[in-house]
Amino acid sequence: MNDPVNNPEHYNKGGIEAIDGIKSSMSDEEFKGYLKGNCIKYLWRYNYKGKPKEDLEKSQWYLNRLIQELSDE
């Protein structure tokens, strides 16, 4: 079953998760900035796309990933 928040099908092609590819292309600081930016993006627009709960959950996903990255330091 497709989970548009935690595991969107279109973010995993060829066995590689997009988030992992993005992380590998950046320094640790750049990746944390990317995660922070996505949190802000989804919070900014959550009330404009017709799926406010989904966008808030996506923001939370990126925030949780940012917290995980800080915990792994």
Side-chain angles (χ1 to χ4, degrees), residues 19 21-39 62 65-66 69-70 73:
I19 192 78
I22 292 166
K23 180 178 181 180
S24 70
S25 75
M26 298 179 172
S27 70
D28 290 342
E29 284 304 308
E30 289 171 330
F31 186 61
K32 286 185 275 188
Y34 166 81
L35 296 170
K36 177 183 174 182
N38 275 304
C39 289
Y62 282 101
R65 180 66 187 252
L66 179 56
E69 292 297 318
L70 292 172
E73 290 183 348

PDB file of all heavy atoms in Angstrom, residues 19 21-39 62 65-66 69-70 73:
ATOM      1  N   ILE A  19      15.762  10.199  -0.470  1.00  0.00           N
ATOM      2  CA  ILE A  19      16.364  10.870   0.683  1.00  0.00           C
ATOM      3  C   ILE A  19      17.797  10.393   0.908  1.00  0.00           C
ATOM      4  O   ILE A  19      18.677  11.170   1.278  1.00  0.00           O
ATOM      5  CB  ILE A  19      15.495  10.702   1.958  1.00  0.00           C
ATOM      6  CG1 ILE A  19      15.942  11.639   3.081  1.00  0.00           C
ATOM      7  CG2 ILE A  19      15.488   9.266   2.444  1.00  0.00           C
ATOM      8  CD1 ILE A  19      15.483  13.038   2.921  1.00  0.00           C
ATOM      9  N   GLY A  21      19.864   9.211  -1.492  1.00  0.00           N
ATOM     10  CA  GLY A  21      20.664   9.794  -2.565  1.00  0.00           C
ATOM     11  C   GLY A  21      20.976  11.256  -2.308  1.00  0.00           C
ATOM     12  O   GLY A  21      22.098  11.716  -2.543  1.00  0.00           O
ATOM     13  N   ILE A  22      19.981  11.980  -1.821  1.00  0.00           N
ATOM     14  CA  ILE A  22      20.186  13.393  -1.505  1.00  0.00           C
ATOM     15  C   ILE A  22      21.217  13.532  -0.395  1.00  0.00           C
ATOM     16  O   ILE A  22      22.148  14.342  -0.492  1.00  0.00           O
ATOM     17  CB  ILE A  22      18.845  14.057  -1.128  1.00  0.00           C
ATOM     18  CG1 ILE A  22      17.938  14.128  -2.356  1.00  0.00           C
ATOM     19  CG2 ILE A  22      19.066  15.431  -0.503  1.00  0.00           C
ATOM     20  CD1 ILE A  22      16.495  14.447  -2.052  1.00  0.00           C
ATOM     21  N   LYS A  23      21.091  12.726   0.657  1.00  0.00           N
ATOM     22  CA  LYS A  23      22.042  12.798   1.771  1.00  0.00           C
ATOM     23  C   LYS A  23      23.460  12.519   1.292  1.00  0.00           C
ATOM     24  O   LYS A  23      24.399  13.209   1.704  1.00  0.00           O
ATOM     25  CB  LYS A  23      21.648  11.818   2.872  1.00  0.00           C
ATOM     26  CG  LYS A  23      22.600  11.867   4.046  1.00  0.00           C
ATOM     27  CD  LYS A  23      22.204  10.930   5.162  1.00  0.00           C
ATOM     28  CE  LYS A  23      23.216  11.088   6.311  1.00  0.00           C
ATOM     29  NZ  LYS A  23      22.912  10.232   7.437  1.00  0.00           N
ATOM     30  N   SER A  24      23.613  11.532   0.434  1.00  0.00           N
ATOM     31  CA  SER A  24      24.962  11.178  -0.008  1.00  0.00           C
ATOM     32  C   SER A  24      25.596  12.257  -0.878  1.00  0.00           C
ATOM     33  O   SER A  24      26.811  12.288  -1.046  1.00  0.00           O
ATOM     34  CB  SER A  24      24.953   9.835  -0.745  1.00  0.00           C
ATOM     35  OG  SER A  24      24.305   9.943  -1.983  1.00  0.00           O
ATOM     36  N   SER A  25      24.797  13.168  -1.427  1.00  0.00           N
ATOM     37  CA  SER A  25      25.321  14.225  -2.282  1.00  0.00           C
ATOM     38  C   SER A  25      25.676  15.496  -1.519  1.00  0.00           C
ATOM     39  O   SER A  25      26.132  16.458  -2.118  1.00  0.00           O
ATOM     40  CB  SER A  25      24.299  14.569  -3.375  1.00  0.00           C
ATOM     41  OG  SER A  25      23.217  15.322  -2.842  1.00  0.00           O
ATOM     42  N   MET A  26      25.455  15.482  -0.186  1.00  0.00           N
ATOM     43  CA  MET A  26      25.630  16.694   0.613  1.00  0.00           C
ATOM     44  C   MET A  26      26.528  16.441   1.817  1.00  0.00           C
ATOM     45  O   MET A  26      26.654  15.307   2.265  1.00  0.00           O
ATOM     46  CB  MET A  26      24.271  17.177   1.140  1.00  0.00           C
ATOM     47  CG  MET A  26      23.277  17.550   0.103  1.00  0.00           C
ATOM     48  SD  MET A  26      21.716  18.064   0.869  1.00  0.00           S
ATOM     49  CE  MET A  26      20.858  18.663  -0.558  1.00  0.00           C
ATOM     50  N   SER A  27      27.064  17.536   2.334  1.00  0.00           N
ATOM     51  CA  SER A  27      27.748  17.444   3.620  1.00  0.00           C
ATOM     52  C   SER A  27      26.680  17.273   4.710  1.00  0.00           C
ATOM     53  O   SER A  27      25.486  17.476   4.460  1.00  0.00           O
ATOM     54  CB  SER A  27      28.555  18.719   3.889  1.00  0.00           C
ATOM     55  OG  SER A  27      27.676  19.807   4.148  1.00  0.00           O
ATOM     56  N   ASP A  28      27.104  16.921   5.905  1.00  0.00           N
ATOM     57  CA  ASP A  28      26.153  16.763   7.013  1.00  0.00           C
ATOM     58  C   ASP A  28      25.383  18.056   7.269  1.00  0.00           C
ATOM     59  O   ASP A  28      24.167  18.024   7.482  1.00  0.00           O
ATOM     60  CB  ASP A  28      26.875  16.318   8.291  1.00  0.00           C
ATOM     61  CG  ASP A  28      27.384  14.889   8.205  1.00  0.00           C
ATOM     62  OD1 ASP A  28      26.913  14.126   7.329  1.00  0.00           O
ATOM     63  OD2 ASP A  28      28.259  14.533   9.017  1.00  0.00           O
ATOM     64  N   GLU A  29      26.073  19.177   7.248  1.00  0.00           N
ATOM     65  CA  GLU A  29      25.411  20.464   7.499  1.00  0.00           C
ATOM     66  C   GLU A  29      24.428  20.811   6.386  1.00  0.00           C
ATOM     67  O   GLU A  29      23.343  21.321   6.651  1.00  0.00           O
ATOM     68  CB  GLU A  29      26.431  21.585   7.681  1.00  0.00           C
ATOM     69  CG  GLU A  29      27.107  21.575   9.029  1.00  0.00           C
ATOM     70  CD  GLU A  29      26.128  21.637  10.199  1.00  0.00           C
ATOM     71  OE1 GLU A  29      25.259  22.532  10.226  1.00  0.00           O
ATOM     72  OE2 GLU A  29      26.233  20.768  11.093  1.00  0.00           O
ATOM     73  N   GLU A  30      24.809  20.555   5.155  1.00  0.00           N
ATOM     74  CA  GLU A  30      23.901  20.809   4.037  1.00  0.00           C
ATOM     75  C   GLU A  30      22.644  19.950   4.155  1.00  0.00           C
ATOM     76  O   GLU A  30      21.534  20.446   3.928  1.00  0.00           O
ATOM     77  CB  GLU A  30      24.594  20.515   2.704  1.00  0.00           C
ATOM     78  CG  GLU A  30      25.662  21.519   2.344  1.00  0.00           C
ATOM     79  CD  GLU A  30      26.480  21.086   1.144  1.00  0.00           C
ATOM     80  OE1 GLU A  30      26.660  19.870   0.915  1.00  0.00           O
ATOM     81  OE2 GLU A  30      26.965  21.989   0.428  1.00  0.00           O
ATOM     82  N   PHE A  31      22.817  18.686   4.521  1.00  0.00           N
ATOM     83  CA  PHE A  31      21.669  17.794   4.631  1.00  0.00           C
ATOM     84  C   PHE A  31      20.738  18.246   5.746  1.00  0.00           C
ATOM     85  O   PHE A  31      19.508  18.233   5.579  1.00  0.00           O
ATOM     86  CB  PHE A  31      22.137  16.350   4.856  1.00  0.00           C
ATOM     87  CG  PHE A  31      21.013  15.352   4.842  1.00  0.00           C
ATOM     88  CD1 PHE A  31      20.229  15.180   3.718  1.00  0.00           C
ATOM     89  CD2 PHE A  31      20.748  14.585   5.960  1.00  0.00           C
ATOM     90  CE1 PHE A  31      19.185  14.254   3.701  1.00  0.00           C
ATOM     91  CE2 PHE A  31      19.719  13.655   5.958  1.00  0.00           C
ATOM     92  CZ  PHE A  31      18.933  13.487   4.817  1.00  0.00           C
ATOM     93  N   LYS A  32      21.280  18.671   6.873  1.00  0.00           N
ATOM     94  CA  LYS A  32      20.425  19.181   7.953  1.00  0.00           C
ATOM     95  C   LYS A  32      19.670  20.425   7.488  1.00  0.00           C
ATOM     96  O   LYS A  32      18.492  20.599   7.824  1.00  0.00           O
ATOM     97  CB  LYS A  32      21.250  19.463   9.200  1.00  0.00           C
ATOM     98  CG  LYS A  32      21.678  18.182   9.911  1.00  0.00           C
ATOM     99  CD  LYS A  32      22.385  18.457  11.209  1.00  0.00           C
ATOM    100  CE  LYS A  32      23.840  18.699  10.943  1.00  0.00           C
ATOM    101  NZ  LYS A  32      24.668  18.796  12.139  1.00  0.00           N
ATOM    102  N   GLY A  33      20.310  21.271   6.700  1.00  0.00           N
ATOM    103  CA  GLY A  33      19.627  22.441   6.149  1.00  0.00           C
ATOM    104  C   GLY A  33      18.513  22.052   5.196  1.00  0.00           C
ATOM    105  O   GLY A  33      17.442  22.676   5.179  1.00  0.00           O
ATOM    106  N   TYR A  34      18.750  21.014   4.411  1.00  0.00           N
ATOM    107  CA  TYR A  34      17.732  20.496   3.499  1.00  0.00           C
ATOM    108  C   TYR A  34      16.514  20.008   4.288  1.00  0.00           C
ATOM    109  O   TYR A  34      15.373  20.324   3.944  1.00  0.00           O
ATOM    110  CB  TYR A  34      18.341  19.358   2.666  1.00  0.00           C
ATOM    111  CG  TYR A  34      17.338  18.528   1.923  1.00  0.00           C
ATOM    112  CD1 TYR A  34      16.797  18.960   0.716  1.00  0.00           C
ATOM    113  CD2 TYR A  34      16.924  17.296   2.421  1.00  0.00           C
ATOM    114  CE1 TYR A  34      15.871  18.197   0.032  1.00  0.00           C
ATOM    115  CE2 TYR A  34      16.004  16.523   1.743  1.00  0.00           C
ATOM    116  CZ  TYR A  34      15.476  16.977   0.551  1.00  0.00           C
ATOM    117  OH  TYR A  34      14.546  16.218  -0.122  1.00  0.00           O
ATOM    118  N   LEU A  35      16.765  19.250   5.352  1.00  0.00           N
ATOM    119  CA  LEU A  35      15.672  18.746   6.184  1.00  0.00           C
ATOM    120  C   LEU A  35      14.889  19.889   6.819  1.00  0.00           C
ATOM    121  O   LEU A  35      13.656  19.890   6.817  1.00  0.00           O
ATOM    122  CB  LEU A  35      16.210  17.793   7.254  1.00  0.00           C
ATOM    123  CG  LEU A  35      16.861  16.510   6.739  1.00  0.00           C
ATOM    124  CD1 LEU A  35      17.556  15.779   7.876  1.00  0.00           C
ATOM    125  CD2 LEU A  35      15.856  15.618   6.040  1.00  0.00           C
ATOM    126  N   LYS A  36      15.606  20.868   7.342  1.00  0.00           N
ATOM    127  CA  LYS A  36      14.963  22.034   7.958  1.00  0.00           C
ATOM    128  C   LYS A  36      14.110  22.774   6.920  1.00  0.00           C
ATOM    129  O   LYS A  36      12.967  23.158   7.202  1.00  0.00           O
ATOM    130  CB  LYS A  36      16.019  22.969   8.539  1.00  0.00           C
ATOM    131  CG  LYS A  36      15.461  24.227   9.136  1.00  0.00           C
ATOM    132  CD  LYS A  36      16.585  25.134   9.634  1.00  0.00           C
ATOM    133  CE  LYS A  36      16.055  26.472  10.109  1.00  0.00           C
ATOM    134  NZ  LYS A  36      17.142  27.361  10.557  1.00  0.00           N
ATOM    135  N   GLY A  37      14.660  22.960   5.730  1.00  0.00           N
ATOM    136  CA  GLY A  37      13.925  23.650   4.674  1.00  0.00           C
ATOM    137  C   GLY A  37      12.643  22.935   4.297  1.00  0.00           C
ATOM    138  O   GLY A  37      11.614  23.576   4.055  1.00  0.00           O
ATOM    139  N   ASN A  38      12.676  21.609   4.255  1.00  0.00           N
ATOM    140  CA  ASN A  38      11.466  20.862   3.935  1.00  0.00           C
ATOM    141  C   ASN A  38      10.437  20.956   5.049  1.00  0.00           C
ATOM    142  O   ASN A  38       9.234  21.018   4.777  1.00  0.00           O
ATOM    143  CB  ASN A  38      11.794  19.411   3.593  1.00  0.00           C
ATOM    144  CG  ASN A  38      12.166  19.267   2.141  1.00  0.00           C
ATOM    145  OD1 ASN A  38      11.411  19.638   1.271  1.00  0.00           O
ATOM    146  ND2 ASN A  38      13.353  18.761   1.885  1.00  0.00           N
ATOM    147  N   CYS A  39      10.880  20.975   6.299  1.00  0.00           N
ATOM    148  CA  CYS A  39       9.936  21.207   7.411  1.00  0.00           C
ATOM    149  C   CYS A  39       9.192  22.522   7.196  1.00  0.00           C
ATOM    150  O   CYS A  39       7.966  22.575   7.276  1.00  0.00           O
ATOM    151  CB  CYS A  39      10.674  21.288   8.748  1.00  0.00           C
ATOM    152  SG  CYS A  39      11.358  19.760   9.360  1.00  0.00           S
ATOM    153  N   TYR A  62      10.029  15.167   8.206  1.00  0.00           N
ATOM    154  CA  TYR A  62      11.326  15.813   8.022  1.00  0.00           C
ATOM    155  C   TYR A  62      11.907  16.281   9.353  1.00  0.00           C
ATOM    156  O   TYR A  62      13.121  16.200   9.560  1.00  0.00           O
ATOM    157  CB  TYR A  62      11.230  16.965   7.020  1.00  0.00           C
ATOM    158  CG  TYR A  62      11.196  16.482   5.595  1.00  0.00           C
ATOM    159  CD1 TYR A  62      10.011  16.411   4.883  1.00  0.00           C
ATOM    160  CD2 TYR A  62      12.361  16.061   4.961  1.00  0.00           C
ATOM    161  CE1 TYR A  62       9.981  15.945   3.578  1.00  0.00           C
ATOM    162  CE2 TYR A  62      12.345  15.598   3.655  1.00  0.00           C
ATOM    163  CZ  TYR A  62      11.155  15.541   2.970  1.00  0.00           C
ATOM    164  OH  TYR A  62      11.134  15.067   1.676  1.00  0.00           O
ATOM    165  N   ARG A  65      13.328  13.254  11.035  1.00  0.00           N
ATOM    166  CA  ARG A  65      14.590  12.864  10.396  1.00  0.00           C
ATOM    167  C   ARG A  65      15.713  13.796  10.823  1.00  0.00           C
ATOM    168  O   ARG A  65      16.847  13.352  11.066  1.00  0.00           O
ATOM    169  CB  ARG A  65      14.416  12.858   8.875  1.00  0.00           C
ATOM    170  CG  ARG A  65      15.653  12.464   8.101  1.00  0.00           C
ATOM    171  CD  ARG A  65      16.045  11.014   8.354  1.00  0.00           C
ATOM    172  NE  ARG A  65      17.316  10.711   7.738  1.00  0.00           N
ATOM    173  CZ  ARG A  65      17.462   9.943   6.664  1.00  0.00           C
ATOM    174  NH1 ARG A  65      16.417   9.377   6.100  1.00  0.00           N
ATOM    175  NH2 ARG A  65      18.658   9.722   6.166  1.00  0.00           N
ATOM    176  N   LEU A  66      15.417  15.086  10.961  1.00  0.00           N
ATOM    177  CA  LEU A  66      16.421  16.041  11.434  1.00  0.00           C
ATOM    178  C   LEU A  66      16.843  15.709  12.860  1.00  0.00           C
ATOM    179  O   LEU A  66      18.037  15.713  13.181  1.00  0.00           O
ATOM    180  CB  LEU A  66      15.876  17.463  11.343  1.00  0.00           C
ATOM    181  CG  LEU A  66      16.787  18.592  11.823  1.00  0.00           C
ATOM    182  CD1 LEU A  66      18.131  18.577  11.112  1.00  0.00           C
ATOM    183  CD2 LEU A  66      16.081  19.934  11.633  1.00  0.00           C
ATOM    184  N   GLU A  69      19.127  12.761  12.719  1.00  0.00           N
ATOM    185  CA  GLU A  69      20.474  13.132  12.276  1.00  0.00           C
ATOM    186  C   GLU A  69      21.274  13.744  13.421  1.00  0.00           C
ATOM    187  O   GLU A  69      22.460  13.455  13.562  1.00  0.00           O
ATOM    188  CB  GLU A  69      20.389  14.105  11.099  1.00  0.00           C
ATOM    189  CG  GLU A  69      19.833  13.514   9.824  1.00  0.00           C
ATOM    190  CD  GLU A  69      20.675  12.411   9.240  1.00  0.00           C
ATOM    191  OE1 GLU A  69      21.932  12.546   9.235  1.00  0.00           O
ATOM    192  OE2 GLU A  69      20.105  11.405   8.775  1.00  0.00           O
ATOM    193  N   LEU A  70      20.639  14.575  14.222  1.00  0.00           N
ATOM    194  CA  LEU A  70      21.338  15.191  15.360  1.00  0.00           C
ATOM    195  C   LEU A  70      21.682  14.156  16.417  1.00  0.00           C
ATOM    196  O   LEU A  70      22.724  14.239  17.056  1.00  0.00           O
ATOM    197  CB  LEU A  70      20.481  16.306  15.952  1.00  0.00           C
ATOM    198  CG  LEU A  70      20.282  17.528  15.076  1.00  0.00           C
ATOM    199  CD1 LEU A  70      19.260  18.460  15.695  1.00  0.00           C
ATOM    200  CD2 LEU A  70      21.598  18.247  14.826  1.00  0.00           C
ATOM    201  N   GLU A  73      24.917  12.122  15.752  1.00  0.00           N
ATOM    202  CA  GLU A  73      26.227  12.819  15.796  1.00  0.00           C
ATOM    203  C   GLU A  73      27.060  12.348  16.959  1.00  0.00           C
ATOM    204  O   GLU A  73      26.632  11.993  17.987  1.00  0.00           O
ATOM    205  CB  GLU A  73      26.012  14.336  15.895  1.00  0.00           C
ATOM    206  CG  GLU A  73      25.466  14.917  14.623  1.00  0.00           C
ATOM    207  CD  GLU A  73      25.313  16.432  14.682  1.00  0.00           C
ATOM    208  OE1 GLU A  73      25.408  17.036  15.762  1.00  0.00           O
ATOM    209  OE2 GLU A  73      25.110  17.004  13.625  1.00  0.00           O
TER     210      GLU A  73
END
